[in-house]
Coordinates of all heavy atoms in Angstrom, one line a residue:
P22 N -8.8 42.8 -95.1 CA -8.8 41.6 -94.4 C -10.3 40.9 -94.4 O -11.2 41.7 -94.4 CB -8.3 41.8 -93.0 CG -7.6 43.2 -93.1 CD -8.3 43.8 -94.3
E23 N -10.3 39.7 -94.3 CA -11.5 39.0 -94.4 C -12.5 39.4 -93.2 O -13.8 39.3 -93.4 CB -11.4 37.5 -94.4 CG -10.8 36.8 -93.3 CD -9.2 37.0 -93.2 OE1 -8.6 37.3 -94.2 OE2 -8.6 36.7 -92.2
H24 N -12.0 39.7 -92.1 CA -13.0 40.0 -91.0 C -13.5 41.4 -91.2 O -14.4 41.8 -90.3 CB -12.1 39.9 -89.6 CG -10.9 40.8 -89.5 ND1 -9.7 40.4 -89.9 CD2 -10.7 42.0 -88.9 CE1 -8.8 41.3 -89.7 NE2 -9.5 42.3 -89.0
F25 N -13.3 42.1 -92.2 CA -13.9 43.4 -92.5 C -14.9 43.3 -93.6 O -15.6 44.3 -94.0 CB -12.9 44.5 -92.8 CG -12.1 45.0 -91.6 CD1 -10.8 44.6 -91.6 CD2 -12.8 45.7 -90.6 CE1 -10.1 45.1 -90.5 CE2 -12.0 46.0 -89.6 CZ -10.6 45.8 -89.4
E26 N -15.1 42.1 -94.2 CA -16.0 41.9 -95.3 C -17.5 42.2 -94.8 O -17.9 41.8 -93.7 CB -16.0 40.5 -95.8 CG -14.7 40.2 -96.6 CD -14.7 38.7 -97.1 OE1 -15.7 38.2 -97.3 OE2 -13.5 38.3 -97.3
G27 N -18.2 43.0 -95.6 CA -19.5 43.3 -95.3 C -19.7 44.6 -94.5 O -20.8 45.0 -94.3
I28 N -18.7 45.1 -94.0 CA -18.7 46.3 -93.2 C -18.4 47.5 -94.2 O -17.5 47.6 -94.8 CB -17.6 46.3 -92.1 CG1 -17.9 45.2 -91.1 CG2 -17.6 47.6 -91.4 CD1 -16.9 45.0 -90.0
K29 N -19.4 48.4 -94.1 CA -19.3 49.5 -95.0 C -18.4 50.6 -94.3 O -18.6 50.8 -93.2 CB -20.7 50.1 -95.3 CG -21.6 49.2 -96.1 CD -22.9 49.9 -96.5 CE -23.7 49.1 -97.3 NZ -24.9 49.8 -97.7
P30 N -17.5 51.2 -95.1 CA -16.7 52.3 -94.5 C -17.7 53.6 -94.2 O -18.7 53.7 -94.9 CB -15.7 52.6 -95.6 CG -16.3 52.0 -96.8 CD -17.2 50.9 -96.5
W31 N -17.3 54.3 -93.3 CA -18.0 55.5 -93.0 C -16.9 56.6 -92.6 O -15.8 56.2 -92.3 CB -19.0 55.3 -92.0 CG -18.4 55.0 -90.5 CD1 -18.1 53.8 -90.1 CD2 -18.1 55.9 -89.5 NE1 -17.5 53.9 -88.9 CE2 -17.5 55.2 -88.5 CE3 -18.1 57.2 -89.4 CZ2 -17.0 55.7 -87.3 CZ3 -17.6 57.9 -88.1 CH2 -17.1 57.1 -87.1
C32 N -17.4 57.8 -92.5 CA -16.5 58.9 -92.0 C -17.4 59.9 -91.2 O -18.6 59.9 -91.4 CB -15.8 59.5 -93.1 SG -16.9 60.5 -94.3
G33 N -16.7 60.5 -90.3 CA -17.4 61.5 -89.6 C -16.8 62.8 -89.6 O -15.5 62.9 -89.9
L34 N -17.5 63.8 -89.4 CA -16.9 65.2 -89.3 C -16.2 65.4 -87.9 O -16.6 64.9 -87.0 CB -17.9 66.2 -89.5 CG -18.7 66.2 -90.9 CD1 -19.7 67.3 -90.9 CD2 -17.7 66.4 -92.0
R35 N -15.1 66.1 -88.0 CA -14.4 66.5 -86.7 C -14.5 68.0 -86.7 O -13.6 68.7 -87.3 CB -13.0 66.0 -86.9 CG -12.9 64.5 -86.8 CD -11.5 64.1 -86.6 NE -11.4 62.7 -86.3 CZ -10.4 61.9 -86.4 NH1 -9.2 62.4 -86.8 NH2 -10.5 60.6 -86.2
P36 N -15.5 68.5 -86.0 CA -15.6 70.0 -86.0 C -14.4 70.6 -85.3 O -13.9 70.2 -84.2 CB -16.8 70.1 -85.2 CG -17.1 68.9 -84.4 CD -16.4 67.8 -85.1
C37 N -13.8 71.6 -86.0 CA -12.6 72.4 -85.5 C -12.9 73.8 -85.5 O -13.6 74.3 -86.3 CB -11.4 72.1 -86.4 SG -10.9 70.3 -86.4
S38 N -12.4 74.5 -84.6 CA -12.6 76.0 -84.5 C -11.3 76.6 -85.2 O -10.4 75.9 -85.5 CB -12.5 76.5 -83.0 OG -11.3 76.2 -82.5
P39 N -11.4 77.9 -85.6 CA -10.3 78.5 -86.3 C -9.0 78.5 -85.6 O -7.9 78.4 -86.2 CB -10.8 79.9 -86.6 CG -12.3 79.8 -86.5 CD -12.6 78.7 -85.5
D40 N -9.0 78.5 -84.3 CA -7.8 78.5 -83.5 C -7.4 77.1 -83.0 O -6.4 76.9 -82.3 CB -7.8 79.6 -82.4 CG -8.9 79.3 -81.3 OD1 -9.6 78.2 -81.5 OD2 -9.1 80.1 -80.4
G41 N -8.2 76.0 -83.3 CA -7.9 74.8 -82.9 C -8.3 74.4 -81.4 O -8.1 73.2 -81.0
L42 N -8.8 75.4 -80.7 CA -9.2 75.0 -79.3 C -10.7 74.8 -79.3 O -11.5 75.2 -80.1 CB -8.9 76.2 -78.4 CG -7.5 76.6 -78.3 CD1 -7.4 77.9 -77.4 CD2 -6.7 75.6 -77.5
P43 N -11.2 73.9 -78.4 CA -12.6 73.7 -78.2 C -13.4 75.0 -77.9 O -12.8 76.0 -77.5 CB -12.7 72.8 -76.9 CG -11.4 72.2 -76.8 CD -10.4 73.3 -77.3
I44 N -14.7 75.0 -78.2 CA -15.6 76.1 -77.9 C -16.4 75.6 -76.7 O -17.2 74.6 -76.8 CB -16.4 76.5 -79.0 CG1 -15.6 77.0 -80.2 CG2 -17.5 77.5 -78.8 CD1 -16.2 77.1 -81.5
I45 N -16.2 76.3 -75.6 CA -17.0 76.0 -74.4 C -17.5 77.3 -73.7 O -16.6 78.1 -73.3 CB -16.1 75.2 -73.4 CG1 -15.6 73.9 -74.0 CG2 -16.9 74.9 -72.1 CD1 -14.6 73.1 -73.1
G46 N -18.7 77.5 -73.5 CA -19.3 78.6 -72.8 C -20.7 78.9 -73.3 O -21.3 78.3 -74.2
R47 N -21.2 80.0 -72.8 CA -22.6 80.4 -73.0 C -22.6 81.3 -74.3 O -21.6 81.9 -74.6 CB -23.2 81.2 -71.9 CG -23.4 80.4 -70.6 CD -24.3 81.1 -69.6 NE -24.5 80.3 -68.5 CZ -25.4 79.3 -68.4 NH1 -26.3 79.1 -69.4 NH2 -25.5 78.5 -67.3
A48 N -23.7 81.0 -75.1 CA -23.8 81.8 -76.3 C -24.1 83.3 -75.9 O -25.0 83.5 -75.1 CB -24.9 81.2 -77.1
K49 N -23.4 84.2 -76.5 CA -23.5 85.6 -76.4 C -25.0 86.0 -76.8 O -25.4 85.6 -77.9 CB -22.5 86.4 -77.0 CG -22.6 87.9 -76.8 CD -21.4 88.6 -77.1 CE -21.4 90.0 -76.8 NZ -21.2 90.4 -75.4
G50 N -25.7 86.6 -75.9 CA -27.1 87.0 -76.3 C -28.1 86.0 -76.0 O -29.3 86.3 -76.1
N51 N -27.7 84.8 -75.5 CA -28.7 83.8 -75.1 C -28.2 82.9 -74.0 O -27.5 81.9 -74.3 CB -29.2 83.0 -76.3 CG -30.4 82.1 -75.9 OD1 -30.6 81.8 -74.8 ND2 -31.1 81.6 -77.0
D52 N -28.3 83.3 -72.8 CA -27.7 82.7 -71.6 C -28.3 81.3 -71.5 O -27.8 80.5 -70.7 CB -27.9 83.4 -70.4 CG -26.9 84.6 -70.3 OD1 -25.9 84.6 -71.0 OD2 -27.2 85.5 -69.5
D53 N -29.3 80.9 -72.2 CA -29.9 79.6 -72.0 C -29.1 78.5 -72.9 O -29.5 77.4 -72.7 CB -31.4 79.6 -72.4 CG -32.3 80.4 -71.5 OD1 -31.9 80.5 -70.3 OD2 -33.3 80.8 -71.8
V54 N -28.3 79.0 -73.7 CA -27.5 78.0 -74.6 C -26.1 77.9 -74.1 O -25.4 78.9 -74.1 CB -27.6 78.6 -76.0 CG1 -26.8 77.7 -76.9 CG2 -29.1 78.7 -76.5
V55 N -25.7 76.7 -73.9 CA -24.3 76.4 -73.5 C -23.7 75.7 -74.7 O -24.2 74.6 -75.1 CB -24.2 75.6 -72.2 CG1 -22.8 75.2 -72.0 CG2 -24.7 76.4 -71.0
L56 N -22.7 76.2 -75.2 CA -22.0 75.6 -76.4 C -20.8 74.8 -76.0 O -20.0 75.2 -75.2 CB -21.5 76.6 -77.5 CG -22.6 77.5 -78.0 CD1 -22.0 78.6 -78.7 CD2 -23.4 76.6 -78.9
V57 N -20.7 73.6 -76.4 CA -19.6 72.7 -76.1 C -19.3 71.9 -77.4 O -20.0 70.8 -77.7 CB -20.0 71.7 -74.9 CG1 -18.8 70.8 -74.5 CG2 -20.4 72.4 -73.7
T58 N -18.4 72.4 -78.1 CA -18.1 71.7 -79.4 C -16.7 72.1 -79.9 O -15.9 72.6 -79.2 CB -19.2 72.4 -80.4 OG1 -19.0 71.7 -81.7 CG2 -19.0 73.8 -80.7
A59 N -16.3 71.6 -81.1 CA -15.0 71.9 -81.8 C -14.0 71.2 -81.1 O -12.8 71.8 -80.9 CB -14.9 73.3 -82.0
H60 N -14.1 69.9 -80.6 CA -13.0 69.3 -80.0 C -12.0 68.5 -80.9 O -11.1 67.9 -80.5 CB -13.5 68.2 -79.0 CG -14.1 68.9 -77.7 ND1 -15.3 69.5 -77.8 CD2 -13.7 68.9 -76.5 CE1 -15.6 70.0 -76.6 NE2 -14.6 69.7 -75.8
A61 N -12.4 68.5 -82.2 CA -11.6 67.9 -83.3 C -11.3 66.5 -83.0 O -12.2 65.8 -82.7 CB -10.3 68.8 -83.4
M62 N -10.1 66.1 -82.9 CA -9.8 64.7 -82.7 C -9.7 64.4 -81.2 O -9.3 63.3 -80.8 CB -8.4 64.4 -83.3 CG -8.4 64.6 -84.9 SD -6.9 64.3 -85.7 CE -6.1 65.9 -85.2
M63 N -9.9 65.3 -80.3 CA -9.8 65.1 -78.9 C -11.0 65.0 -78.1 O -11.1 65.0 -76.9 CB -9.0 66.3 -78.3 CG -7.6 66.5 -78.9 SD -6.5 65.1 -78.5 CE -6.3 65.3 -76.8
G64 N -12.2 64.8 -78.9 CA -13.5 64.6 -78.3 C -13.6 63.6 -77.1 O -14.0 63.9 -76.1
L65 N -13.2 62.3 -77.6 CA -13.3 61.3 -76.5 C -12.4 61.6 -75.4 O -12.6 61.3 -74.3 CB -13.0 59.9 -77.2 CG -14.1 59.4 -78.1 CD1 -13.6 58.2 -78.7 CD2 -15.4 59.2 -77.4
T66 N -11.1 62.1 -75.7 CA -10.3 62.3 -74.6 C -10.6 63.4 -73.6 O -10.4 63.3 -72.4 CB -8.8 62.7 -75.2 OG1 -8.5 61.7 -76.1 CG2 -7.7 62.8 -74.3
L67 N -11.3 64.4 -74.2 CA -11.6 65.6 -73.4 C -13.0 65.5 -72.9 O -13.5 66.3 -72.1 CB -11.5 66.9 -74.2 CG -10.1 67.3 -74.5 CD1 -10.2 68.5 -75.5 CD2 -9.3 67.5 -73.3
A68 N -13.8 64.4 -73.2 CA -15.2 64.2 -72.8 C -15.4 64.3 -71.4 O -16.3 65.0 -70.9 CB -15.8 62.9 -73.3
P69 N -14.6 63.6 -70.4 CA -14.9 63.7 -69.0 C -14.8 65.1 -68.5 O -15.7 65.6 -67.7 CB -13.8 62.8 -68.4 CG -13.5 61.9 -69.5 CD -13.5 62.7 -70.8
V70 N -13.7 65.9 -68.8 CA -13.6 67.2 -68.2 C -14.6 68.1 -68.9 O -15.2 69.0 -68.3 CB -12.2 67.7 -68.3 CG1 -11.7 68.0 -69.7 CG2 -12.0 68.9 -67.5
T71 N -14.8 68.0 -70.2 CA -15.8 68.8 -70.8 C -17.2 68.6 -70.3 O -17.9 69.6 -70.1 CB -15.8 68.6 -72.4 OG1 -14.5 68.8 -72.9 CG2 -16.8 69.3 -73.1
G72 N -17.6 67.4 -70.0 CA -18.9 67.1 -69.5 C -19.1 67.7 -68.0 O -20.1 68.3 -67.8
R73 N -18.1 67.6 -67.3 CA -18.1 68.3 -65.9 C -18.3 69.8 -66.1 O -19.1 70.4 -65.4 CB -16.8 68.0 -65.2 CG -16.8 68.6 -63.8 CD -15.6 68.3 -63.0 NE -15.5 67.0 -62.8 CZ -14.3 66.3 -62.7 NH1 -13.1 67.0 -62.9 NH2 -14.2 65.0 -62.4
V74 N -17.5 70.4 -66.9 CA -17.6 71.9 -67.0 C -18.9 72.3 -67.6 O -19.5 73.2 -67.3 CB -16.4 72.3 -67.9 CG1 -16.6 73.8 -68.3 CG2 -15.1 72.2 -67.1
A75 N -19.4 71.5 -68.7 CA -20.7 71.9 -69.3 C -21.8 71.7 -68.1 O -22.7 72.6 -68.1 CB -21.0 70.9 -70.4
A76 N -21.8 70.6 -67.4 CA -22.6 70.5 -66.3 C -22.7 71.6 -65.3 O -23.7 72.2 -64.9 CB -22.6 69.2 -65.6
Q77 N -21.5 72.2 -65.0 CA -21.2 73.3 -64.1 C -21.8 74.4 -64.7 O -22.6 75.3 -64.0 CB -19.8 73.4 -63.7 CG -19.3 72.4 -62.9 CD -17.8 72.3 -62.7 OE1 -17.1 72.8 -63.6 NE2 -17.3 71.7 -61.7
L78 N -21.6 74.7 -66.0 CA -22.2 75.9 -66.6 C -23.7 75.8 -66.7 O -24.4 76.9 -66.4 CB -21.6 76.1 -68.1 CG -20.1 76.4 -68.2 CD1 -19.6 76.2 -69.6 CD2 -19.8 77.8 -67.6
V79 N -24.2 74.8 -67.0 CA -25.8 74.6 -67.1 C -26.4 74.8 -65.7 O -27.4 75.5 -65.5 CB -26.1 73.2 -67.6 CG1 -27.6 72.9 -67.4 CG2 -25.8 73.2 -69.1
A80 N -25.7 74.4 -64.6 CA -26.1 74.6 -63.2 C -25.8 75.9 -62.7 O -26.0 76.1 -61.5 CB -25.6 73.4 -62.3
A81 N -25.2 76.8 -63.5 CA -24.8 78.1 -63.1 C -23.7 78.1 -61.9 O -23.7 79.0 -61.1 CB -26.0 79.0 -62.7
E82 N -22.9 77.1 -62.0 CA -21.8 77.0 -61.0 C -20.5 77.5 -61.7 O -20.3 77.5 -62.9 CB -21.5 75.5 -60.6 CG -22.8 74.9 -59.9 CD -22.6 73.4 -59.6 OE1 -21.5 72.9 -59.9 OE2 -23.6 72.8 -59.1
A83 N -19.6 77.7 -60.8 CA -18.2 78.2 -61.4 C -17.6 76.9 -62.0 O -17.6 75.9 -61.4 CB -17.4 78.8 -60.3
P84 N -17.0 77.1 -63.2 CA -16.3 75.9 -63.8 C -15.1 75.5 -63.0 O -14.5 76.3 -62.3 CB -16.0 76.5 -65.2 CG -16.7 77.7 -65.4 CD -17.1 78.2 -64.1
S85 N -14.8 74.2 -63.1 CA -13.6 73.7 -62.5 C -12.3 74.3 -62.9 O -11.3 74.3 -62.2 CB -13.5 72.2 -62.8 OG -14.6 71.5 -62.3
F86 N -12.2 74.9 -64.1 CA -11.1 75.5 -64.6 C -11.4 76.8 -65.4 O -12.6 76.9 -65.8 CB -10.1 74.7 -65.4 CG -10.7 74.1 -66.6 CD1 -10.5 74.8 -67.8 CD2 -11.5 72.9 -66.7 CE1 -11.1 74.4 -69.0 CE2 -12.0 72.5 -67.9 CZ -11.8 73.2 -69.1
D87 N -10.6 77.6 -65.6 CA -10.9 78.9 -66.4 C -11.1 78.6 -67.7 O -10.3 78.1 -68.4 CB -9.7 79.9 -66.2 CG -10.0 81.2 -66.8 OD1 -11.1 81.5 -67.1 OD2 -9.1 82.0 -66.9
V88 N -12.3 78.9 -68.2 CA -12.7 78.6 -69.6 C -12.7 80.0 -70.5 O -13.3 79.9 -71.5 CB -14.1 77.9 -69.7 CG1 -14.0 76.6 -69.2 CG2 -15.2 78.7 -69.0
A89 N -12.1 81.0 -69.9 CA -12.2 82.3 -70.7 C -11.6 82.2 -72.0 O -12.1 82.8 -73.0 CB -11.4 83.3 -69.8
A90 N -10.5 81.4 -72.2 CA -9.9 81.3 -73.5 C -10.7 80.4 -74.5 O -10.4 80.4 -75.7 CB -8.5 80.6 -73.4
L91 N -11.7 79.8 -74.0 CA -12.5 78.9 -74.8 C -13.9 79.5 -75.2 O -14.7 78.8 -75.8 CB -12.7 77.5 -74.1 CG -11.5 76.8 -73.6 CD1 -11.8 75.6 -72.9 CD2 -10.6 76.5 -74.8
Q92 N -14.2 80.7 -74.7 CA -15.4 81.3 -74.9 C -15.9 81.4 -76.4 O -15.1 81.7 -77.2 CB -15.5 82.8 -74.3 CG -15.4 82.7 -72.8 CD -16.6 82.0 -72.1 OE1 -17.7 82.2 -72.5 NE2 -16.3 81.3 -71.2
P93 N -17.1 81.2 -76.7 CA -17.6 81.2 -78.1 C -17.4 82.6 -78.7 O -17.2 82.7 -79.9 CB -19.1 80.9 -78.0 CG -19.3 80.1 -76.6 CD -18.1 80.7 -75.8
D94 N -17.5 83.6 -78.0 CA -17.4 84.9 -78.6 C -16.0 85.4 -78.8 O -15.8 86.5 -79.3 CB -18.2 86.0 -77.8 CG -17.4 86.3 -76.5 OD1 -16.7 85.4 -75.9 OD2 -17.7 87.4 -75.9
R95 N -15.0 84.6 -78.6 CA -13.6 85.0 -78.8 C -13.3 85.2 -80.3 O -12.5 86.1 -80.6 CB -12.6 83.9 -78.3 CG -12.6 82.6 -79.1 CD -11.6 81.6 -78.4 NE -11.5 80.4 -79.1 CZ -12.1 79.3 -78.9 NH1 -13.1 79.2 -78.0 NH2 -11.9 78.2 -79.5
F96 N -14.0 84.7 -81.2 CA -13.8 84.9 -82.6 C -14.4 86.3 -83.0 O -13.8 87.0 -83.8 CB -14.4 83.8 -83.5 CG -13.9 82.5 -83.0 CD1 -14.7 81.6 -82.4 CD2 -12.6 82.2 -83.2 CE1 -14.2 80.3 -82.0 CE2 -12.1 80.9 -82.8 CZ -12.9 80.0 -82.2
R97 N -15.4 86.6 -82.4 CA -16.0 87.9 -82.6 C -15.0 89.0 -82.1 O -14.8 90.0 -82.8 CB -17.4 88.1 -81.9 CG -18.1 89.4 -82.1 CD -19.3 89.5 -81.3 NE -20.3 90.5 -81.5 CZ -20.0 91.8 -81.5 NH1 -18.7 92.2 -81.3 NH2 -20.9 92.7 -81.6
R98 N -14.4 88.8 -80.9 CA -13.5 89.8 -80.4 C -12.3 89.9 -81.4 O -11.7 90.9 -81.6 CB -13.1 89.4 -79.0 CG -14.1 89.5 -77.9 CD -13.6 89.3 -76.5 NE -12.9 88.1 -76.4 CZ -13.3 86.9 -75.8 NH1 -14.5 86.9 -75.2 NH2 -12.4 86.0 -75.6
L99 N -11.8 88.8 -81.9 CA -10.7 88.8 -82.8 C -11.0 89.6 -84.0 O -10.2 90.3 -84.6 CB -10.3 87.4 -83.2 CG -9.5 86.6 -82.1 CD1 -9.4 85.2 -82.5 CD2 -8.2 87.2 -81.7
R100 N -12.2 89.4 -84.6 CA -12.6 90.1 -85.8 C -12.7 91.6 -85.5 O -12.2 92.4 -86.3 CB -13.9 89.6 -86.3 CG -13.9 88.3 -87.2 CD -15.2 88.2 -87.9 NE -16.4 88.4 -87.2 CZ -17.0 87.4 -86.5 NH1 -16.6 86.2 -86.6 NH2 -18.1 87.6 -85.9
L101 N -13.2 92.0 -84.4 CA -13.4 93.4 -84.1 C -11.9 94.0 -84.0 O -11.7 95.1 -84.4 CB -14.2 93.6 -82.7 CG -15.7 93.3 -82.9 CD1 -16.3 93.4 -81.5 CD2 -16.3 94.2 -83.9
R102 N -11.1 93.3 -83.2 CA -9.7 93.7 -82.9 C -8.9 93.9 -84.3 O -8.3 94.9 -84.5 CB -8.9 92.7 -82.1 CG -7.6 93.4 -81.6 CD -6.8 92.4 -80.6 NE -7.8 92.0 -79.5 CZ -7.7 90.6 -79.2 NH1 -6.9 89.8 -79.7 NH2 -8.5 90.3 -78.2
S103 N -9.1 93.0 -85.2 CA -8.4 93.0 -86.5 C -8.9 94.2 -87.3 O -8.2 94.9 -88.1 CB -8.5 91.8 -87.3 OG -9.8 91.5 -87.6
R104 N -10.2 94.5 -87.2 CA -10.8 95.8 -87.9 C -10.2 97.0 -87.3 O -9.9 97.9 -88.1 CB -12.3 95.7 -87.7 CG -13.0 94.7 -88.6 CD -14.5 94.9 -88.5 NE -15.1 93.7 -89.1 CZ -16.4 93.3 -88.9 NH1 -17.1 94.0 -88.1 NH2 -16.9 92.3 -89.6
V105 N -10.1 97.1 -86.0 CA -9.6 98.3 -85.4 C -8.2 98.5 -85.8 O -7.7 99.6 -86.2 CB -9.7 98.3 -83.9 CG1 -8.9 99.4 -83.2 CG2 -11.2 98.2 -83.5
I106 N -7.4 97.4 -85.9 CA -5.9 97.5 -86.3 C -5.8 97.9 -87.7 O -5.1 98.8 -88.0 CB -5.2 96.1 -86.0 CG1 -5.1 95.9 -84.5 CG2 -3.8 96.0 -86.7 CD1 -4.7 94.4 -84.1
A107 N -6.7 97.5 -88.5 CA -6.7 97.8 -89.9 C -7.3 99.1 -90.2 O -7.2 99.6 -91.2 CB -7.4 96.7 -90.8
G108 N -7.9 99.7 -89.2 CA -8.6 101.1 -89.4 C -9.9 101.0 -89.9 O -10.5 102.0 -90.3
N109 N -10.6 99.8 -90.0 CA -11.9 99.7 -90.5 C -12.8 99.3 -89.2 O -12.7 98.3 -88.7 CB -11.9 98.5 -91.4 CG -11.1 98.7 -92.6 OD1 -10.8 99.8 -93.0 ND2 -10.6 97.6 -93.1
R110 N -13.7 100.2 -88.9 CA -14.6 99.9 -87.9 C -15.9 99.5 -88.3 O -16.6 99.5 -89.0 CB -14.8 101.2 -87.1 CG -13.5 101.5 -86.2 CD -13.8 102.6 -85.2 NE -12.6 102.6 -84.4 CZ -12.6 102.5 -83.1 NH1 -13.7 102.3 -82.4 NH2 -11.5 102.6 -82.4

């Protein structure tokens, strides 16, 4: 359409985690780092609640909801569990 003339197309990355859930929590081994990423296509939709939880984590407050399933180290735990199941430690 003519109202798009002169506008260059662009694309942006949509960071996704292997399990499709956001990554929210402190980085293992560095409590000064709070990770809040991998929202895929839900970034704008989840921004208000994610911002609140990130602020609570930075302020060392209890998050508004349980973020255990969103912890960054969940992938490390999965790798370790699969190695144990496979017999490879």
